[in-house]
Amino acid sequence: MSKGERPRSANIRKTNKKNLMVFSGRAHPQLAQEVAAQLGTELVPTSAYDFANGEIYVRYEESVRGSDAFVIQSHTAPINECIMEHLIMVDALKRASAKRITVVLPFYGYARQDKKHRGREPISARLVADMFKVAGANRLMAVDLHTDQIQGFFDGPVDHLFAQPILADHVVAKHGSERMAVVSPDAGRIKVAESWSRRLGGAPLAFIHKTRDISRPNESIANRVVGDVRGRVCVLVDDMIDTGGTVAKACEALLKEGAKDVIIAATHAILSEPASQRLQGCGALEVVVTDTLPIAPERRFPGLTVLSIAPLISMAIREVFEDGSVTSLFSGRA
């Protein structure tokens, strides 16, 4: 090389073009397909299957090197298998040199185990966050976490999305002419109910005073209604419906107190048995949920309305990919 001549390496130019790629596990592919379609892309072809002994295998059918990867998986039943598949997908992306990996959790498994009620108990929600970090996740995105503190369990950015605007807009469009009240199923979710009240034009608040035996999961006793609900259409709000015992008993208590009608609104429709039967028989006018979790045809029933969460997730993914503001989607709350 003659004096003053530039080395060949000095002529190398790095292209910084970003590449968004969306991946889906087998838990809820329909939702992932809707999200990808709204982003104007397609899901990355993926091979996934179980070995005879139950081990899970995952392989991506095209290069993911340098990509901004978003891995969508709802933690539905069988929940442990869905979480394990999600972790394996993240590990595969890390080892295939994806540039940034965002774990998208429409429903965060083990979110209810966010603290110790008694000695010698685990904090399983923290364990799930730790596993995703070790697997290689750079960021988490979740819809309506059971408690806000779960955001602090993950050592990295967490985007907490809220389905309330989707649910509330439906309630207003369908029942907005009625005199309404917003009801929390317990005292612990009053803050959520207050947010609903503001969105429904200052509707009065009420809550159900209940007791729960911590040694018996999925069981509670609705003792009494605190607040005036007589003659009003009550919007009973919660983050999830599992076996349906809490909201069904709350609905019955509200009707006994003179409520005109009850609308149950929840983000996550887990609908473990016998939720469908309880919800059909509790007297609710309508049960409004989103599709963060797949709902089998046999668990659907008259009066159940399922709203799509795909527009919210796709908007949040676009903001993250474009280095925009997820907070702006929720008037500064996220």
Side-chain angles (χ1 to χ4, degrees), residues 7-329:
R8 291 177 60 86
S9 61
N11 297 319
I12 295 175
R13 294 291 182 268
K14 180 182 177 182
T15 59
N16 290 317
K17 185 177 180 181
K18 298 174 72 175
N19 181 24
L20 184 150
M21 302 183 84
V22 182
F23 306 82
S24 173
R26 293 175 290 173
H28 199 355
Q30 181 181 353
L31 174 59
Q33 288 166 0
E34 291 179 18
V35 170
Q38 297 208 17
L39 288 167
T41 185
E42 295 180 354
L43 297 177
V44 174
T46 305
S47 296
Y49 55 82
D50 298 333
F51 288 105
N53 69 344
E55 291 180 8
I56 298 169
Y57 172 86
V58 172
R59 181 180 184 272
Y60 303 115
E61 300 298 333
E62 61 185 61
S63 173
V64 301
R65 185 179 298 275
S67 67
D68 205 342
F70 294 84
V71 197
I72 304 173
Q73 177 88 309
S74 289
H75 297 169
T76 187
I79 190 166
N80 296 321
E81 292 180 18
C82 291
I83 292 174
M84 191 65 196
E85 182 175 275
H86 210 175
L87 291 165
I88 290 171
M89 294 176 71
V90 172
D91 183 76
L93 285 167
K94 177 182 69 175
R95 298 179 190 282
S97 301
K99 186 175 182 180
R100 180 170 65 168
I101 303 169
T102 300
V103 171
V104 182
L105 302 138
F107 177 71
Y108 187 113
Y110 287 88
R112 284 173 285 186
Q113 298 186 40
D114 61 323
K115 59 182 175 292
K116 294 175 67 173
H117 294 280
R118 296 180 296 174
R120 301 181 298 281
E121 287 185 342
I123 302 179
S124 303
R126 170 60 190 263
L127 176 61
V128 170
D130 287 343
M131 289 192 296
F132 277 112
K133 187 65 177 180
V134 172
N138 304 110
R139 186 183 200 102
L140 297 188
M141 181 182 293
V143 180
D144 278 337
L145 292 167
H146 188 59
T147 54
D148 290 339
Q149 72 194 43
I150 294 174
Q151 296 174 78
F153 291 172
F154 182 75
D155 188 16
V158 177
D159 299 302
H160 190 190
L161 312 183
F162 303 102
Q164 184 201 82
I166 297 171
L167 295 165
D169 287 350
H170 171 83
V171 171
V172 170
K174 196 168 181 180
H175 308 283
S177 61
E178 300 281 356
R179 294 174 64 244
M180 289 192 283
V182 179
V183 182
S184 170
D186 55 54
R189 300 196 69 78
I190 281 292
K191 185 177 178 181
V192 175
E194 287 176 344
S195 179
W196 267 85
S197 174
R198 289 192 294 270
R199 198 163 188 96
L200 297 182
L205 293 172
F207 71 91
I208 307 295
H209 179 268
K210 71 177 184 181
T211 56
R212 185 187 295 274
D213 185 347
I214 60 176
S215 67
R216 303 182 68 180
N218 299 115
E219 290 189 23
S220 64
I221 300 173
N223 292 327
R224 60 190 176 91
V225 178
V226 180
D228 183 15
V229 299
R230 188 169 298 277
R232 294 182 179 271
V233 173
C234 294
V235 184
L236 181 60
V237 298
D238 210 347
D239 64 322
M240 66 178 76
I241 303 173
D242 191 352
T243 61
T246 296
V247 292
K249 291 173 182 175
C251 178
E252 293 167 359
L254 290 168
L255 292 173
K256 286 180 181 178
E257 287 292 316
K260 180 181 178 182
D261 274 311
V262 177
I263 301 161
I264 298 172
T267 303
H268 308 297
I270 303 173
L271 300 186
S272 303
E273 291 298 333
S276 297
Q277 293 88 337
R278 285 174 170 171
L279 293 171
Q280 286 186 83
C282 71
L285 177 66
E286 184 180 17
V287 179
V288 188
V289 299
T290 73
D291 62 349
T292 56
L293 292 163
I295 304 174
E298 62 271 17
R299 295 189 179 178
R300 295 175 182 254
F301 52 89
L304 177 68
T305 300
V306 183
L307 306 177
S308 176
I309 202 71
L312 174 62
I313 294 175
S314 62
M315 286 190 293
I317 288 176
R318 190 178 299 280
E319 290 295 334
V320 171
F321 176 67
E322 296 177 352
D323 296 324
S325 171
V326 175
T327 305
S328 66
L329 301 177

